[in-house]
Amino acid sequence: MDEVEVVVAHSERATLRVGDVFLKVDADRARVDAEVEAMSRAPVPTPEVLWREPPVLALAALPGTTLGRLGGPSTGSPAAWAAAGAAIRKLHDAPLPPRSGRAGRSADALTAELDAECALLVTNGLLPADLVTRNRRVAEAAFRPWTPAFTHGDLQIAHVFLDGDEVTGIIDWSEAGRGDALYDLATFTLGHEERLDDVLAGYGTGVDLDVIRAWWSLRSLLAVRWLVEHGFDPFAPGCEVDVLRSRT
């Protein structure tokens, strides 16, 4: 009998692995619908949908391995990271999906969310005020006009699978939609800045590095409190708080 592995679990959703099948349990049916629709539109490899029985979505496991995880060592050759960059570019150049994704929030909405979150981080004693203030300034560069692209919206390196130097699939599309392409690139390289050049070798030109750095700060500031409240550790080596500390 196959063992049940808990891949990730918190109050919003859970993902289990049973043999070669991933079971995603999500009470938000709209989020599951958005994920299935995005996978059907994406011009990159995605998991096969085996069946759906709300609130459960069953997906086939992908071959290969990821390039690492936030807080852990990065693996794979420069060519593998470049292949990931090329796949991300293919996604960003695809016809736009009908809905806006997490990477498509407006500057006004993001500013309001960021200001409220920064205040809570300091008030609740989670982070020192000078660290928050410094990264809040860095984050300003993300608030600029951008051309909508087909974005994944949660493109962590743990969501991209490769076999050698070939991308075999990208998982977790529930935040996908129209959005800022540089948000995806920043998410993919968060905590692994040394790999950005390799990614861009495959992705191509037209990338503002100051905006990538801004998204590293912005995403980390918005994530710290949520992670703590849901049982994760953003203070672990190489994770979000270290990303914030690396900004000067």
Side-chain angles (χ1 to χ4, degrees):
M1 180 177 178
D2 290 319
E3 293 185 353
V4 176
E5 175 191 356
V6 179
V7 179
V8 63
H10 49 77
S11 60
E12 294 180 2
R13 65 190 98 166
T15 300
L16 312 175
R17 180 169 185 166
V18 185
D20 290 332
V21 177
F22 284 95
L23 302 176
K24 300 193 68 173
V25 184
D26 194 330
D28 186 341
R29 182 162 184 170
R31 190 157 50 202
V32 176
D33 290 343
E35 176 162 11
V36 173
E37 179 187 14
M39 287 193 295
S40 72
R41 293 176 177 271
V44 295
T46 61
E48 177 189 358
V49 176
L50 300 176
W51 50 266
R52 294 178 65 189
E53 189 65 41
V56 181
L57 171 66
L59 302 170
L62 292 169
T65 59
T66 67
L67 291 172
R69 61 179 178 81
L70 183 62
S74 61
T75 59
S77 66
W81 285 84
I88 296 168
R89 186 60 179 245
K90 187 175 183 180
L91 173 67
H92 290 167
D93 287 344
L96 293 174
R99 70 182 76 206
S100 181
R102 183 162 183 78
R105 289 166 291 174
S106 70
D108 287 345
L110 275 170
T111 299
E113 183 181 358
L114 183 60
D115 287 344
E117 199 62 39
C118 287
L120 287 170
L121 289 170
V122 176
T123 300
N124 295 345
L126 284 172
L127 294 176
D130 62 333
L131 181 64
V132 172
T133 299
R134 184 165 68 248
N135 280 274
R136 176 65 179 80
R137 286 197 298 266
V138 173
E140 287 286 339
F143 303 141
R144 87 285 176 216
W146 43 268
T147 301
F150 189 155
T151 54
H152 179 279
D154 191 20
L155 199 62
Q156 304 173 44
I157 59 170
H159 292 163
V160 180
F161 286 72
L162 293 96
D163 185 0
D165 298 337
E166 179 184 356
V167 175
T168 58
I170 301 176
I171 64 172
D172 283 0
W173 292 82
S174 59
E175 308 288 355
R178 298 170 183 248
D180 180 358
L182 299 193
Y183 179 91
D184 273 354
L185 288 172
T187 302
F188 188 66
T189 54
L190 185 72
H192 295 288
E193 300 179 25
E194 76 283 0
R195 296 292 193 168
L196 180 58
D197 286 345
D198 294 332
V199 173
L200 296 182
Y203 185 84
T205 58
V207 176
D208 187 328
L209 297 183
D210 285 339
V211 176
I212 295 287
R213 297 183 187 101
W215 276 121
W216 285 336
S217 289
L218 203 162
R219 181 180 169 93
S220 297
L221 287 169
L222 293 181
V224 168
R225 186 173 60 89
W226 186 94
L227 290 167
V228 169
E229 292 177 353
H230 287 79
F232 301 99
D233 185 8
F235 293 87
C239 291
E240 284 81 2
V241 175
D242 272 357
V243 171
L244 295 172
R245 289 170 177 157
S246 69
R247 305 275 68 82
T248 56

